[in-house]
Amino acid sequence: MSRAEAAPRVRRSHWLLSTIAGATMVFLYLPLVAVAAMSVNAARFGVAWKGFSLRWYAQLLHNQVVLQAALNTLILAAVSTAISTVLGTLLAIGLERFPWPRWMRRIVDAVVYVPVVTPDIVFAVGMLLAFEAVRQAMGGLRLGLATMIVAHVTFQISFVALVVGSRLATLGRSVEEAARDLYADTWHSLRTITLPLIAPGIVAGAMLAFTLSLDDFVISFFTSGPSSVTLPLYIYGSLRRGVSPDIHALSTIVFLVTVTLVLGLQLFTRSPKEE
Amino acid sequence: MERQYDLSGVAAPALGALASAGDAATLQLERGAAKGVVVAGERTLADDDSAGCDLAVNGVTKRFGPVTALDDVSLKVRSGEFVTLLGPSGCGKTTLLRIVAGLELADHGRVAVGGADVTRIPANRRPVNTVFQNYALFPHLNVYENIAYGLRARKFPAPEVDRRVGEVLEMLHLEEMPKRRITQLSGGQKQRVALARALVNHPDVLLLDEPMSALDAKLRAEVQLELRRLQRQLGKTFILVTHDQNEAMTVSDRIFVMREARIVQSGPPAEVYDRPANRFVAEFLGTTNLINAWRTNGTVHTELGNLVPRAHPQWEKGFLSIRPEQIIVRSAKPSSNGIRAIISEVIYRGDHLDVYVQPGNLHVRGLPRAGMKPGEQIWLELPARQLEALGE
Amino acid sequence: MNRLLVWYGELATTRKLTTRGLALLAVPLIWIVVLLVAPLGAMVAWSVASRAATGDIEWTFSLQNFGRLAGYDAFGWTKSYLVILGTTLVISTITTVITLALAYPLSFFIAQRRPARRYLWLTLIIIPFCTNLVIRTYAWMLLLGNQMPPALLAQWLHLIGPSEALYPSTLAVYIGMVSNSLPFAVLPLYTNVEKLDWAIVEASRDLYSRPMRTFFHGILPQTLPGLVTAIVLTFIPAMGAFLIPDLLGGGKSWMLGNLIQHQFGVSRDFPFGAAVSLVLTFLTMVGLLILRRSGDEVTFL
């Protein structure tokens, strides 16, 4: 066997590999496909096929609770993403673009990583404790959409900061120095060079934050109030009460929205702009 | 003489005076001075007879932590001169260029452009522009916008921007591609855009930081000639940083050879080549034969016998240096500085021969001629007026 | 010390830069510290406090909460909480093993596709992961229900009784956990396998000829960093699982997450809840330390 022709990048896979890959895909998608199938099943009870119908989708449109939950979910995701994108970007620029001594950099780095590495459930409990402390100190704080937004922002900031920060780091000094050399002052260079160049990072960070917010259950579960039911909480609650078929329709819609978001995110992070 | 910048608000202390004023006060002055900005001339870049300005660097020292990048460096560049800072990597040449550009702050010392002290002027208010080593083009802007950047930053009116950009596009043969994206350009085109982006601002001094290191050898040779032609045509002051001695010889009026944070020699290319100040310069520029030597009273001894150098050395022990093409092959014993040698190797180079001889493993370069074969005995003359006595 | 310097081309004093930098950092940093770091610190204080019979918190130092987790309470030793800790470790370990057994070959399979196809496969693996966990878990509840094909098959094989469902059960918890952690394992492994030096593989194939030895000498050592990363990234989230055992386990296989939720929810025993949270966080940190020591760089999304 000649060594020279070793290492072809594309190889034929062993049948065992292909089988495992196929099986894994089935494993990942079969439950979701089952839900999608049930969402167009006319049957009200049970899972026996009673013909194709979109009535559960139609029913969703008339379910005020679901519509409110959907609205809450979107408000939660949109507002928390907006806040965290701004704060995360400030954090990234503040950390990357200043001559901090090493100890300062380490401390900030550590703080940024706390929300990333803390287990969800502990994070949720921590938020709950923080809100409890605020309530006891000032009174009047009720768990609701506001507390959920605050909680989501707390973990989103770090993810945005990490994404934007890595983009800033790859940018390097030279383009900003070139801008300076070409008569740009601080503000002009920030506006015309730095921000446009890290924009893909900011967008990617924002989309990641949005996805994380939609994806979250545990933290919402702990920090929500009776008036701030979101879709995941609604679905979780209805699992307790007993499932009606419109949950299938709802889940399918959420899944499709997620697919769109993920594809959008991929499109942005792999933008051909980079070289 | 028209100045791009009104720096008159800045008190220009005598060169060499150290910065004693408080930083805040200095910055305050500069802020006031910056308001004067820009007189958009109607003349074109080519007949901009304000030409370049002279540059003076005085006693500049720069340390990065424990590393000294520049150690009390001074130099003067005349208006319209093309000079090269030449040296191996890490010798401080790029740091010096960045200090002139305002991208690095000297620990001590002063920089003046056209007689005006710019030591504490920020980069964006200095009348100098830089062509960066990796070009540092703005990847999100097209060729036109890259070139127009410096004019737009200074709020030039649109027609003036258009006229000036058009002018440099033409000068650098980029007319075809103002709308191109930076990512679609070849290395040579990027380099020309970087040059255009700097020249469009009519800088008093143009700084070039190894602008050709990313180009292949053939293109590099073309660009060197082009650069030389451009500089003659514009009459601007150009300062080029390079580690390539050929490049330095090709383009410069004057070469500053740098080594370990200091300037070790300066002068026109021929002078630096023919009269190297020390062993380092002799070896760094071109190839040379170095012969270990020692002195007793008035005589210089080597293992090839006693030799007479151009100027009598001050050292006890040192080197004699002679370029390969300056050694003369003789058929008979020359009157002075003659060496009896045996040819050990002959390499045919087409337009010349490279001959290596023993003793001393001397390298001799000459025209192809008959009778040069390994094993032949020949006489060599090391002419005294080209035999330099050098220290380390 | 106020010093003049040039920073990214800007001539400024250190004081000016520091002021500006702190202005940028202030809000996000204070946000995270006040809302998360401080409460986590408070948890440490809580964990060594105790709950009086009245339900109030007594601020006297004691390690009894940690003792309770280890099984010691006022009435002597019981295994109740240790069982939960044990269950958590066992479920997380077995989940990790199964996940790696699937993810390892899968990452090779993906690395052998053409580059454009690789991204497609990776995206396909990420998509379900980005769908809300409640939906994914419910999807399994639906699929493992008593009238669906998997349960019908199990009934026919007499693995379960007639008209029984496959959930709630420990099996269902494993299925949910594995499907949840697959992307965590595939991404680092793929990143590693993609960089694999096939020349070394070919060399060891020449040397050893037997496929097993080729694998152990030529491939496994090269993928070790990715493997460590995959193990840690699977194991840590598994330890903190809460929803999956809750829904798919039907309360039979409680994990630490459920215990924590219970203490801060129904029981309102904050000191004990804080202690359990700290233990979970501690185990997570140990995992991350291992990752930092020997793991590979991973990029998500």
Side-chain angles (χ1 to χ4, degrees):
Chain A
M1 177 182 305
S2 103
R3 195 76 37 89
E5 56 166 10
R9 294 292 289 161
V10 180
R11 313 172 123 239
R12 288 189 63 87
S13 296
H14 195 273
W15 63 268
L16 196 60
L17 282 190
S18 312
T19 312
I20 291 175
T24 312
M25 282 299 142
V26 172
F27 179 65
L28 284 178
Y29 280 89
L30 194 60
L32 295 168
V33 171
V35 171
M38 285 304 132
S39 75
V40 290
N41 185 355
R44 174 172 288 278
F45 301 105
V47 294
W49 183 254
K50 293 273 166 54
F52 180 86
S53 161
L54 290 176
R55 59 187 285 207
W56 309 120
Y57 288 90
Q59 204 170 67
L60 280 183
L61 293 176
H62 301 291
N63 187 334
Q64 282 308 313
V65 182
V66 167
L67 291 179
Q68 185 59 47
L71 187 64
N72 284 343
T73 309
L74 285 179
I75 292 175
L76 171 61
V79 175
S80 65
T81 299
I83 298 174
S84 64
T85 303
V86 173
L87 293 182
T89 304
L90 291 182
L91 183 54
I93 296 178
L95 183 59
E96 286 287 334
R97 279 297 185 269
F98 293 89
W100 299 120
R102 187 165 299 172
W103 59 265
M104 172 77 176
R105 193 167 259 281
R106 282 199 171 175
I107 291 176
V108 178
D109 265 339
V111 172
V112 171
Y113 270 100
V114 171
V116 180
V117 301
T118 310
D120 274 4
I121 185 97
V122 178
F123 184 102
V125 168
M127 297 305 302
L128 192 64
L129 292 180
F131 294 140
E132 182 71 18
V134 172
R135 193 180 64 80
Q136 286 185 359
M138 298 191 274
L141 182 85
R142 295 250 291 280
L143 293 181
L145 210 48
T147 51
M148 291 169 86
I149 289 172
V150 169
H152 278 212
V153 169
T154 310
F155 69 80
Q156 287 167 320
I157 288 179
S158 295
F159 285 96
V160 174
L162 289 174
V163 173
V164 176
S166 71
R167 176 87 199 176
L168 264 173
T170 59
L171 205 57
R173 259 172 212 241
S174 58
V175 280
E176 281 168 76
E177 287 184 343
R180 290 281 176 176
D181 188 61
L182 296 165
Y183 312 102
D185 57 21
T186 308
W187 174 241
H188 192 74
S189 151
L190 182 73
R191 197 166 51 80
T192 57
I193 301 299
T194 317
L195 285 180
L197 284 178
I198 62 170
I202 297 176
V203 173
M207 293 184 85
L208 181 61
F210 197 83
T211 314
L212 286 172
S213 173
L214 290 186
D215 199 23
D216 170 68
F217 167 75
V218 177
I219 293 159
S220 301
F221 181 68
F222 275 81
T223 53
S224 64
S227 64
S228 62
V229 174
T230 58
L231 287 178
L233 295 175
Y234 173 79
I235 296 172
Y236 180 77
S238 61
L239 297 184
R240 290 282 159 105
R241 290 190 300 271
V243 181
S244 70
D246 52 358
I247 291 297
H248 301 144
L250 188 55
S251 303
T252 308
I253 292 173
V254 173
F255 173 66
L256 292 177
V257 170
T258 312
V259 172
T260 318
L261 269 175
V262 173
L263 291 180
L265 187 62
Q266 297 272 331
L267 222 61
F268 248 97
T269 46
R270 302 205 195 295
S271 101
K273 262 186 184 174
E274 309 177 22
E275 307 204 34
Chain B
M1 183 171 114
E2 182 208 271
R3 299 294 325 279
Q4 297 295 318
Y5 281 84
D6 179 8
L7 297 172
S8 56
V10 183
L15 283 179
L18 288 179
S20 54
D23 299 330
T26 317
L27 282 176
Q28 207 57 47
L29 269 175
E30 288 154 12
R31 203 165 288 138
K35 300 297 178 202
V37 194
V38 183
V39 188
E42 271 307 307
R43 289 165 298 115
T44 61
L45 182 50
D47 45 51
D48 176 4
D49 60 1
S50 73
C53 274
D54 55 351
L55 170 83
V57 171
N58 213 302
V60 163
T61 296
K62 177 72 184 174
R63 288 192 188 84
F64 295 105
V67 180
T68 303
L70 291 172
D71 185 5
D72 194 22
V73 168
S74 299
L75 63 85
K76 280 198 162 134
V77 179
R78 287 184 287 274
S79 173
E81 200 177 14
F82 197 147
V83 304
T84 299
L85 304 178
L86 174 69
S89 62
C91 70
K93 56 190 191 297
T94 293
T95 305
L96 182 55
L97 198 77
R98 286 170 61 83
I99 285 175
V100 173
L103 299 174
E104 219 61 86
L105 192 69
D107 298 337
H108 303 286
R110 294 258 144 208
V111 178
V113 176
D117 188 306
V118 297
T119 312
R120 295 296 168 90
I121 304 278
N124 51 319
R125 295 190 197 127
R126 290 192 186 194
V128 299
N129 289 108
T130 311
V131 177
F132 291 87
Q133 179 170 14
N134 53 4
Y135 313 135
L137 297 175
F138 307 129
H140 60 302
L141 301 177
N142 64 21
V143 169
Y144 184 98
E145 287 302 322
N146 261 278
I147 297 174
Y149 189 87
L151 303 175
R152 293 212 199 282
R154 286 179 291 168
K155 311 241 174 344
F156 272 58
E160 174 71 4
V161 171
D162 211 47
R163 190 184 63 74
R164 283 228 209 165
V165 173
E167 186 195 327
V168 289
L169 281 173
E170 192 185 353
M171 186 183 351
L172 290 157
H173 316 297
L174 290 164
E175 302 99 322
E176 308 289 312
M177 48 192 70
K179 296 279 171 248
R180 280 289 176 88
R181 298 185 61 91
I182 294 304
T183 46
Q184 297 169 324
L185 302 182
S186 69
Q189 289 165 340
K190 279 184 191 168
Q191 202 251 4
R192 275 184 281 150
V193 174
L195 200 55
R197 188 177 68 170
L199 283 176
V200 77
N201 299 294
H202 299 189
D204 289 349
V205 178
L206 182 75
L207 308 174
L208 303 118
D209 185 6
E210 309 224 12
M212 286 166 261
S213 58
L215 305 180
D216 62 60
K218 187 160 171 279
L219 190 55
R220 201 180 311 164
E222 276 173 35
V223 174
Q224 284 163 5
L225 290 176
E226 175 71 13
L227 208 56
R228 173 85 259 202
R229 188 188 59 76
L230 204 62
Q231 191 266 344
R232 290 260 161 79
Q233 180 191 336
L234 300 175
K236 293 267 172 201
T237 312
F238 278 32
I239 301 178
L240 173 78
V241 157
T242 185
H243 60 264
D244 178 346
Q245 49 110 359
N246 269 322
E247 189 167 302
M249 305 279 256
T250 309
V251 300
S252 333
D253 295 320
R254 226 152 31 110
I255 296 175
F256 290 85
V257 186
M258 293 187 67
R259 179 198 191 187
E260 289 171 4
R262 290 168 183 273
I263 292 173
V264 290
Q265 188 175 7
S266 70
E271 183 187 314
V272 177
Y273 184 82
D274 289 335
R275 304 271 179 267
N278 56 30
R279 175 192 171 166
F280 170 79
V281 176
E283 283 192 309
F284 196 76
L285 269 91
T287 48
T288 196
N289 292 295
L290 284 173
I291 305 159
N292 283 310
W294 61 97
R295 180 174 68 91
T296 53
N297 301 323
T299 317
V300 177
H301 311 275
T302 73
E303 52 197 14
L304 306 174
N306 296 350
L307 293 171
V308 181
R310 184 176 63 86
H312 200 66
Q314 300 302 308
W315 38 252
E316 294 294 321
K317 249 174 89 67
F319 303 92
L320 297 181
S321 159
I322 187 162
R323 303 287 179 187
E325 71 276 12
Q326 289 164 342
I327 299 179
I328 303 167
V329 181
R330 301 270 184 218
S331 46
K333 182 176 182 180
S335 54
S336 71
N337 283 1
I339 295 172
R340 188 68 173 151
I342 296 174
I343 298 174
S344 57
E345 199 165 353
V346 178
I347 301 164
Y348 179 68
R349 301 280 193 194
D351 58 339
H352 69 269
L353 287 182
D354 277 322
V355 180
Y356 294 87
V357 304
Q358 290 299 347
N361 197 27
L362 294 180
H363 176 191
V364 182
R365 185 171 293 169
L367 294 173
R369 65 155 102 167
M372 299 287 267
K373 289 200 296 282
E376 293 282 311
Q377 288 223 333
I378 51 171
W379 280 102
L380 297 178
E381 182 186 351
L382 278 47
R385 63 196 151 78
Q386 275 140 352
L387 187 62
E388 295 289 321
L390 302 177
E392 187 57 57
Chain C
M1 191 181 73
N2 197 20
R3 186 165 63 80
L4 199 63
L5 81 166
V6 177
W7 186 253
Y8 284 84
E10 181 186 4
L11 183 67
T13 58
T14 43
R15 187 177 300 155
K16 183 178 170 190
L17 286 175
T18 308
T19 313
R20 199 195 290 161
L22 286 179
L24 288 173
L25 290 179
V27 177
L29 274 192
I30 292 173
W31 185 297
I32 297 176
V33 168
V34 168
L35 288 162
L36 187 60
V37 180
L40 289 181
M43 249 186 244
V44 177
W46 247 305
S47 69
V48 293
S50 52
R51 197 178 64 148
T54 57
D56 292 333
I57 290 169
E58 282 179 9
W59 296 105
T60 45
F61 179 86
S62 90
L63 291 175
Q64 68 170 41
N65 292 310
F66 296 97
R68 273 172 73 194
L69 186 62
Y72 297 95
D73 61 14
F75 309 106
W77 187 80
T78 64
K79 60 176 188 173
S80 59
Y81 293 132
L82 271 187
V83 168
I84 295 177
L85 187 59
T87 309
T88 308
L89 287 170
V90 168
I91 291 183
S92 303
T93 309
I94 296 183
T95 299
T96 307
V97 171
I98 300 174
T99 304
L100 288 184
L102 289 175
Y104 199 80
L106 186 57
S107 55
F108 272 87
F109 176 81
I110 296 174
Q112 289 167 358
R113 301 302 98 193
R114 269 179 280 117
R117 284 289 175 83
R118 290 180 207 163
Y119 287 121
L120 180 69
W121 278 93
L122 289 177
T123 310
L124 279 176
I125 285 169
I126 290 169
I127 284 174
F129 171 70
C130 291
T131 313
N132 194 283
L133 180 59
V134 180
I135 292 174
R136 270 179 293 150
T137 311
Y138 168 65
W140 277 116
M141 292 166 68
L142 177 73
L143 189 63
L144 297 177
N146 60 357
Q147 290 165 41
M148 292 301 260
L152 293 177
L153 182 68
Q155 289 162 14
W156 184 73
L157 290 171
H158 293 286
L159 295 173
I160 52 175
S163 78
E164 270 184 27
L166 283 169
Y167 98 96
S169 68
T170 313
L171 174 71
V173 175
Y174 281 125
I175 290 176
M177 297 278 280
V178 169
S179 67
N180 187 42
S181 48
L182 257 175
F184 278 128
V186 172
L187 287 177
L189 277 172
Y190 163 75
T191 325
N192 198 168
V193 170
E194 198 203 6
K195 298 183 298 201
L196 204 70
D197 186 351
W198 285 99
I200 296 180
V201 181
E202 296 294 343
S204 49
R205 187 171 293 169
D206 288 353
L207 245 121
Y208 299 112
S209 74
R210 290 228 311 276
M212 282 302 274
R213 300 201 65 178
T214 305
F215 175 77
F216 280 110
H217 289 91
I219 297 177
L220 192 62
Q222 288 198 63
T223 54
L224 221 48
L227 214 50
V228 173
T229 311
I231 289 173
V232 173
L233 288 184
T234 309
F235 192 77
I236 288 179
M239 290 283 291
F242 151 70
L243 188 71
I244 295 172
D246 182 35
L247 289 180
L248 288 170
K252 280 181 220 164
S253 32
W254 260 31
M255 294 174 68
L256 286 179
N258 306 87
L259 185 60
I260 293 170
Q261 195 257 323
H262 192 75
Q263 299 312 315
F264 284 96
V266 184
S267 305
R268 297 200 68 76
D269 189 345
F270 281 23
F272 185 51
V276 181
S277 300
L278 280 185
V279 170
L280 180 58
T281 310
F282 174 76
L283 292 173
T284 308
M285 294 301 158
V286 170
L288 289 172
L289 276 181
I290 297 173
L291 181 64
R292 271 187 75 169
R293 287 261 163 137
S294 51
D296 206 1
E297 290 279 320
V298 197
T299 43
F300 287 103
L301 298 170

